[in-house]
């Protein structure tokens, strides 16, 4: 009886006929359609065969990205080779939605939330929209507890809070993916969500098998959108991963979201912006790029029920930390970790430059003893770094400066503390104890 009553309520809301538009033009990545009535963000189905007798591969998904007078501008999620003039365009009436639930843990998904290996989705999943508003600023609890990530340089010198958002800034080949894999395996967070955006196809499997490993995959959901996929799929990969993390946060879990990389999301948005006619601004990036970044990054963090701790990698062209995307992301996030190519060339891994990195919340979430010890080592490291050239060429004589003499003595100890094996998992408690002992002048193991 209850089901019958529900059906009675639904029947008046059902459409008795479908409205279609027709493709009138295809230019590059853009599809122009005369109708149907729709809104920006709506998902449409483009029927490349008979719309009344659809088959499995007879439709192509596309999204409304803009309008030009009476023309609807669409961007496809997949290829456009079979789309021709006159193809019917059907509006679904809603934006992109994906299915989420505990059954996805251990799975590798595409940007639309489907398993990449072609397996069916598990049962019992919930449908959520990929684009949602951030939590109300007044309902966000303050971040007051540290979160261990199992990396000594971070837990010791750049302590991250539960719900903090941090950027990892580096050029290519300096160890971003390796660092993400270490964090995913070692973190005490309940669930990992990893978005691989714009990666080479080869790197996706290598990251899962080599960097993440079976132990990391057991509590991880991977969303992958490779570089060969359309720009819209790369952007939706980032939004889908964020929506999955939000779902688990609202269930009360502490979630670790890692996105590699937000720069490629910005590049994909630039492609779309230029295609729909936006003017290029800073270094060719369109205004919509700088509008979408805070919209995406602000969705993570704390809420009333749980927290999303987020690490976003940022590719810096030519190791230029002031390029537009790096500068914009650094202004939004709660801290940044800089990977230094010079340290990597010296064999120091992870190649984190603690002098150029900062956690904006460390002073609020770490103990006073911990903060003072970190400041002490940072000061010694800075003194040595400033005088390194003089020391290396033999221009500095011992005894000239007590501070430099002390820095020379401590430098190998600090470097050894910052180094860590790829498979090493060191608890935050052990890291802090080692840091305090070292700062007090004691020897560490």
């Amino acid at each position: 009886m209850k089901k019958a009553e529900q059906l009675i309520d639904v029947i008046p809301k059902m459409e008795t006929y479908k409205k279609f538009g027709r493709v009138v033009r295809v230019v590059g990545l853009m599809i122009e359609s005369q109708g149907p009535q729709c809104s920006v963000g709506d998902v449409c189905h483009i029927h490349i065969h008979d719309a009344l007798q659809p088959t499995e591969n007879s439709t192509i998904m596309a999204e409304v990205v803009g309008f030009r007078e009476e023309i609807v501008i669409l961007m496809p999620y997949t290829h456009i080779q079979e789309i021709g003039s006159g193809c019917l365009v059907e509006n679904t009436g809603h934006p992109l939605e994906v299915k989420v639930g505990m059954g996805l843990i251990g799975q590798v998904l595409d940007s639309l939330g489907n398993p990449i290996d072609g397996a069916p989705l598990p049962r019992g999943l919930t449908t959520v929209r990929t684009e949602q508003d951030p939590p109300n600023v007044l309902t966000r609890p303050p971040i007051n507890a540290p979160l261990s990530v199992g990396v000594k340089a971070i837990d010791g010198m750049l302590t991250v809070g539960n719900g903090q958002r941090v950027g990892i800034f580096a050029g290519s080949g300096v160890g971003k993916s390796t660092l993400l894999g270490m964090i995913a395996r070692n973190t005490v967070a309940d669930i990992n969500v990893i978005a691989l955006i714009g990666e080479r196809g080869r790197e996706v499997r290598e990251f899962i098998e080599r960097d993440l490993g079976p132990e990391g995959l057991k509590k991880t959901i991977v969303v992958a959108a490779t570089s060969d996929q359309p720009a819209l799929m790369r952007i939706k990969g980032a939004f889908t991963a964020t929506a999955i993390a939000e779902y688990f946060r609202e269930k009360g879990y502490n979630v670790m979201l890692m996105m590699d990389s937000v720069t490629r999301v910005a590049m994909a948005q630039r492609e779309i912006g230029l295609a729909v006619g936006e003017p290029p601004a800073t270094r060719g990036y369109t205004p919509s790029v700088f509008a979408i970044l805070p919209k995406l990054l602000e969705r993570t963090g704390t809420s009333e029920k749980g927290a999303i701790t987020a690490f976003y990698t940022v590719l810096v062209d030519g190791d230029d930390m002031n390029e537009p995307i790096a500068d914009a992301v650094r202004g939004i996030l709660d801290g940044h970790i800089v990977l230094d190519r010079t340290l990597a060339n010296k064999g120091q891994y992870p190649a984190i430059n603690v002098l150029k990195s900062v956690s904006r919340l460390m002073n609020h979430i770490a103990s006073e003893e911990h903060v003072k010890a970190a400041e002490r080592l940072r000061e010694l490291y800075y003194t040595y770094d400033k005088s390194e050239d003089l020391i290396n060429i033999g221009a500095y004589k011992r005894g000239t400066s007590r501070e430099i003499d002390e820095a020379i003595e401590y430098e190998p100890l600090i470097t050894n503390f910052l180094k860590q094996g790829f498979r090493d998992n060191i608890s935050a408690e052990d890291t802090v104890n080692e840091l305090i002992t070292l700062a007090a002048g004691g020897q560490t193991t």
Side-chain angles (χ1 to χ4, degrees):
M1 186 65 181
K2 190 174 181 180
K3 289 185 177 180
E5 291 175 355
Q6 291 175 343
L7 289 173
I8 292 172
D9 292 335
V10 169
I11 288 172
K13 300 176 184 178
M14 295 179 63
E15 294 186 6
T16 55
Y17 61 94
K18 293 183 178 181
K19 296 178 182 178
F20 292 93
R22 285 190 179 275
V23 173
V24 295
R25 190 182 182 203
V26 177
V27 181
L29 299 176
M30 283 193 314
I31 302 165
E32 297 184 2
S33 170
Q34 187 75 47
Q37 184 178 355
C38 53
S39 303
V40 171
D42 283 353
V43 174
C44 294
H45 290 149
I46 301 175
H47 297 271
I48 56 179
H49 299 299
D50 188 355
L52 299 179
Q53 296 180 342
T55 60
E56 184 179 353
N57 298 315
S58 66
T59 61
I60 292 175
M61 291 178 65
E63 184 173 307
V64 179
V65 295
F67 301 94
R68 185 179 294 119
E69 296 177 352
E70 299 298 322
I71 297 298
V72 179
I73 302 174
L74 303 120
M75 195 75 70
Y77 286 113
T78 54
H79 60 85
I80 61 173
Q81 283 81 356
E82 295 181 294
I83 298 175
S85 179
C87 285
L88 294 180
V89 180
E90 178 187 357
N91 182 20
T92 63
H94 57 77
L96 182 64
E97 297 176 334
V98 295
K99 293 186 178 296
V100 191
M102 296 298 292
L104 293 184
I105 296 176
Q107 298 265 13
V108 182
L109 311 174
D110 63 15
S111 298
L112 305 181
N114 301 313
I116 287 181
D117 60 7
L121 283 168
R123 296 183 178 181
L125 303 181
T126 302
T127 301
V128 298
R129 291 188 173 185
T130 59
E131 296 196 35
Q132 302 181 44
D133 294 327
N136 186 297
V137 293
L138 296 181
T139 65
R140 285 180 181 263
I143 298 170
N144 51 26
L147 180 76
S148 173
V149 298
V151 179
K152 286 167 50 174
I154 298 177
D155 287 339
M157 305 292 287
L158 305 162
T159 307
V160 173
N162 187 26
Q164 186 172 345
R165 302 161 304 153
V166 181
I168 299 176
F169 295 75
S172 57
V174 188
K176 297 184 302 300
S177 297
T178 302
L179 180 58
L180 289 182
M182 290 176 67
I183 295 171
R185 290 194 312 275
N186 299 343
T187 181
V188 297
D190 301 319
I191 297 171
N192 299 320
V193 180
I194 301 178
L196 303 177
I197 310 299
E199 292 285 342
R200 305 175 189 90
R202 170 185 61 82
E203 291 179 329
V204 173
R205 184 167 180 175
E206 285 184 1
F207 175 83
I208 294 169
E209 295 182 355
R210 183 186 62 195
D211 297 332
L212 188 59
E215 68 273 23
L217 190 59
K218 287 179 182 178
K219 62 173 184 177
T220 300
I221 301 170
V222 179
V223 179
T226 53
S227 58
D228 61 296
Q229 294 182 340
L232 193 59
M233 284 288 276
R234 281 174 269 149
I235 292 175
K236 292 304 175 184
F239 281 90
T240 294
T242 305
I244 292 171
E246 287 173 324
Y247 170 84
F248 288 108
R249 176 179 64 185
E250 297 311 302
K251 294 292 184 182
Y253 292 100
N254 290 323
V255 185
M256 177 72 74
L257 172 65
M258 287 171 277
M259 189 175 295
D260 185 16
S261 71
V262 72
T263 305
R264 294 192 178 107
V265 177
M267 289 178 175
Q269 181 60 36
R270 177 174 62 182
E271 286 184 44
I272 293 176
L274 293 173
V276 299
E278 282 190 76
T282 311
R283 292 200 190 178
Y285 287 102
T286 58
S288 63
V289 173
F290 301 99
I292 199 176
L293 287 176
K295 184 179 178 181
L296 175 65
L297 303 181
E298 284 290 346
R299 289 170 59 181
T300 54
T302 59
S303 75
E304 294 177 293
K305 297 180 180 179
I308 301 174
T309 306
F311 285 88
Y312 299 96
T313 68
V314 181
L315 284 167
V316 286
D317 293 334
D319 296 329
D320 177 14
M321 288 295 297
N322 295 316
E323 63 96 22
I325 300 304
D327 198 45
V329 172
R330 189 167 55 245
I332 297 170
L333 299 179
D334 307 317
H336 54 273
I337 295 170
V338 178
L339 301 186
D340 195 318
R341 192 177 300 277
T342 303
L343 295 178
N345 292 339
K346 289 180 180 179
Q348 179 177 324
Y349 287 99
I352 297 174
N353 188 325
V354 295
L355 299 179
K356 295 181 180 179
S357 307
V358 65
S359 170
R360 295 178 181 174
L361 297 176
M362 180 174 177
N363 291 344
H364 304 289
I365 59 178
S367 67
E368 184 178 355
E369 187 180 18
H370 179 185
V371 171
K372 286 183 177 180
E375 289 176 350
R376 165 75 171 153
L377 292 192
R378 189 185 294 268
E379 181 183 348
L380 289 165
Y381 205 45
Y382 172 75
T383 301
Y384 181 87
D385 183 73
K386 185 174 62 173
S387 309
E388 185 175 13
D389 290 340
L390 291 175
I391 296 168
N392 289 339
I393 65 174
Y396 174 76
K397 292 184 178 180
R398 292 271 184 146
T400 306
S401 168
R402 184 176 61 84
E403 290 80 7
I404 296 177
D405 289 345
E406 191 176 19
I408 293 173
E409 181 183 347
Y410 265 87
E411 189 274 335
L413 301 176
I414 298 173
T415 300
N416 185 63
F417 170 77
L418 296 176
K419 284 183 178 181
Q420 183 172 338
F422 172 58
R423 294 290 174 185
D424 293 345
N425 183 2
I426 302 170
S427 70
E429 183 180 0
D430 290 342
T431 295
V432 173
N433 290 337
E434 183 179 347
L435 174 71
I436 293 172
T437 302
L438 179 59
Q443 297 291 323
T444 62
T445 56

